[in-house]
Amino acid sequence: MVDPKKDFLPFALPEIGEEEIAEVVNALRSGWVTTGPKTKQFEADFAAYLGGGVEAIAVNSATAGLHLGLEALGVGPGDEVITTTHTFTATAEIIRYLGADPVFVDVDPRTLCIDVAGIERAITPRTKAIIPVHFAGRSADMQALLALAKKHGLRVMEDAAHALPTTCGGTMIGQLDSDVTVFSFYANKTITTGEGGMLVTRDPELAKRAKVMRLHGINRDAFDRFTAKAPSWYYEIVAPGFKYNMTDIASSLGLHQLKRANEFQAKRARIAALYDEALAGLPIVLPPHAEAGDIHSWHLYVTQLADGAGVSRDQFIERLFEQGIGCSVHYIPLHLQPYWRDTYKLTPEMFPNSQRIYERTVTLPLYTRMTDADVERVVAAVKQALG
Ligand SMILES: *Cc1c(COP(=O)(O)O)cnc(C)c1O
């Protein structure tokens, strides 16, 4: 017998191996605990994992990376940045950090990602950039989005917090023609450094700006322009920068998590397929899949209750918790959050797809350490909760 109180199955758990632990201990013993050789290695490995030809800049969160990316793109007061309402608040808050205004767009119910036709309608003379989110690890329609951005001269920064590894049209996210892509290594993401993120760009000017702003606006190259060699103690402050660097303790985790990214994705995809098979035929809308031939990272397994489910979403989640199954809601859309709703006068009617999805959505547990028995337990609990 399963005791639901004792045997609670969380909706997410990291998988940390002995290699990660040994590397962290090595960092601690080395005396180099902040940004150093392990971070440099993690950045090089990450760029290589994406296929090379890009610069990877390690930061202490994806939120920090998104902030640095938008800052490097020159977004400031008076500018508008188009993004999706169906996301975590970090995607939008960084627009406000820079004094610019987010313009929220509804999602395409087929992908749960930003609706490209909606983006086109939202463009004004103030629009500077677009931030799509690869929701749950399925890529947004980037071909159409990038073509639209090009047509209107807009910059694109991908919020790829869910998208390692994800492909779009056969290309790795991080290698598309957008300006900046930002990944997250938060505890529940597909690989983790506890807290952490990676800003990726192919543009050397953007990379340079992000690196300077990552650490207090310090520029160590400035001196070298005028003299042969700067003394090691010399630096110049060229901007009021931030404190967004990744520690070598975190990078120690990242080095080994990255090596397992493909193995983790395969495990997640297998669990998603088990769910798909077991839940088919129930009054549940299954998550959107990637386009044929593309990789879905399966960061999240996001379902929706069908109209005939006979149970409300809140009731359904309560019934799963009673059976010891953790689940979550991705997301409470930003148009319902007091700050965003009140500041930008947002109503549910402006986002009918996101609103409809929100009212029905439930994210089931999906992580690499789940056993087949865990999956069966969730499926049984879902059937019971549906009555
Ligand atoms: C997790 C997440 C972030 C923020 O990542 P952090 O590393 O926690 O800063 C941003 N956007 C989305 C869509 C996320 O899920």
Side-chain angles (χ1 to χ4, degrees):
M1 271 298 284
V2 173
D3 176 352
K5 287 221 170 53
K6 234 176 51 208
D7 302 310
F8 187 78
L9 188 83
F11 106 90
L13 267 185
E15 179 168 340
I16 309 284
E18 290 306 317
E19 292 87 349
E20 284 90 324
I21 293 166
E23 197 76 44
V24 168
V25 171
N26 180 288
L28 296 174
R29 290 197 202 285
S30 78
W32 206 309
V33 289
T34 184
T35 311
K38 291 191 197 296
T39 302
K40 208 168 172 177
Q41 187 65 51
F42 183 36
E43 290 175 333
D45 289 1
F46 199 88
Y49 176 76
L50 294 181
V54 294
E55 238 187 290
I57 299 166
V59 285
N60 57 17
S61 72
T63 307
L66 291 164
H67 184 195
L68 288 178
L70 209 59
E71 198 278 340
L73 288 174
V75 168
D79 292 334
E80 288 176 352
V81 178
I82 297 173
T83 192
T84 166
T85 186
H86 214 80
T87 186
F88 184 57
T89 194
T91 315
E93 75 192 27
I94 53 107
I95 300 167
R96 296 295 302 132
Y97 291 180
L98 294 161
D101 295 306
V103 174
F104 296 105
V105 164
D106 204 357
V107 291
D108 178 346
R110 200 181 65 83
T111 63
L112 310 184
C113 295
I114 193 164
D115 174 41
V116 177
I119 296 175
E120 185 149 36
R121 288 193 295 275
I123 293 172
T124 75
R126 288 170 61 198
T127 310
K128 190 93 179 231
I130 308 168
I131 310 179
V133 177
H134 304 298
F135 186 84
R138 187 234 187 267
S139 94
D141 181 3
M142 291 303 292
Q143 283 98 342
L145 190 150
L146 288 166
L148 181 70
K150 197 168 177 187
K151 187 173 129 195
H152 292 271
L154 303 175
R155 315 302 294 267
V156 177
M157 176 168 74
E158 296 167 64
D159 179 339
H162 301 181
L164 189 81
T166 292
T167 65
C168 178
T171 301
M172 280 289 268
I173 294 301
Q175 287 285 6
L176 295 173
D177 286 330
S178 51
D179 296 289
V180 178
T181 305
V182 180
F183 297 90
S184 174
F185 312 133
Y186 179 66
N188 73 354
K189 299 288 162 52
T190 55
I191 73 168
T192 186
T193 60
E195 299 280 359
M198 194 71 81
L199 184 159
V200 172
T201 181
R202 208 178 284 131
D203 181 331
E205 289 304 313
L206 291 178
K208 196 170 156 197
R209 178 68 181 181
K211 276 195 267 190
V212 165
M213 295 306 281
R214 172 175 61 173
L215 198 66
H216 301 300
I218 293 174
N219 187 350
R220 287 185 191 277
D221 302 336
F223 194 96
D224 297 346
R225 268 189 269 133
F226 306 107
T227 67
K229 194 167 167 20
S232 61
W233 51 265
Y234 188 81
Y235 61 87
E236 288 183 359
I237 302 298
V238 297
F242 309 106
K243 185 69 197 290
Y244 282 168
N245 54 306
M246 178 177 273
T247 70
D248 266 24
I249 301 170
S251 294
S252 298
L253 292 167
L255 282 169
H256 294 281
Q257 289 275 294
L258 184 64
K259 289 194 176 90
R260 303 176 71 188
N262 290 352
E263 169 205 330
F264 285 171
Q265 190 278 336
K267 283 188 186 174
R268 286 175 174 278
R270 182 176 167 275
I271 294 166
L274 289 175
Y275 273 144
D276 280 353
E277 199 184 322
L279 301 176
L282 296 175
I284 287 183
V285 181
L286 299 180
H289 278 214
E291 300 296 330
D294 268 325
I295 296 169
H296 189 316
S297 75
W298 288 110
H299 165 49
L300 300 171
Y301 192 85
V302 176
T303 69
Q304 294 169 62
L305 291 174
D307 284 337
V311 56
S312 76
R313 188 272 311 280
D314 297 3
Q315 234 175 348
F316 181 79
I317 290 181
E318 206 169 298
R319 287 180 187 173
L320 287 180
F321 269 90
E322 278 163 12
Q323 298 175 79
I325 307 297
C327 37
S328 193
V329 168
H330 293 91
Y331 289 92
I332 305 169
L334 299 184
H335 67 259
L336 295 179
Q337 295 291 2
Y339 172 74
W340 299 114
R341 181 193 64 206
D342 299 344
T343 306
Y344 293 100
K345 312 262 176 295
L346 308 175
T347 65
E349 292 71 35
M350 296 161 80
F351 310 96
N353 296 330
S354 172
Q355 183 66 29
R356 191 189 145 79
I357 293 159
Y358 166 63
E359 287 165 7
R360 292 161 176 77
T361 199
V362 181
T363 303
L364 297 180
L366 173 53
Y367 48 96
T368 56
R369 285 162 62 189
M370 280 181 84
T371 63
D372 287 8
D374 290 335
V375 175
E376 283 162 25
R377 202 181 139 198
V378 176
V379 169
V382 165
K383 286 180 177 164
Q384 180 139 338
L386 288 169

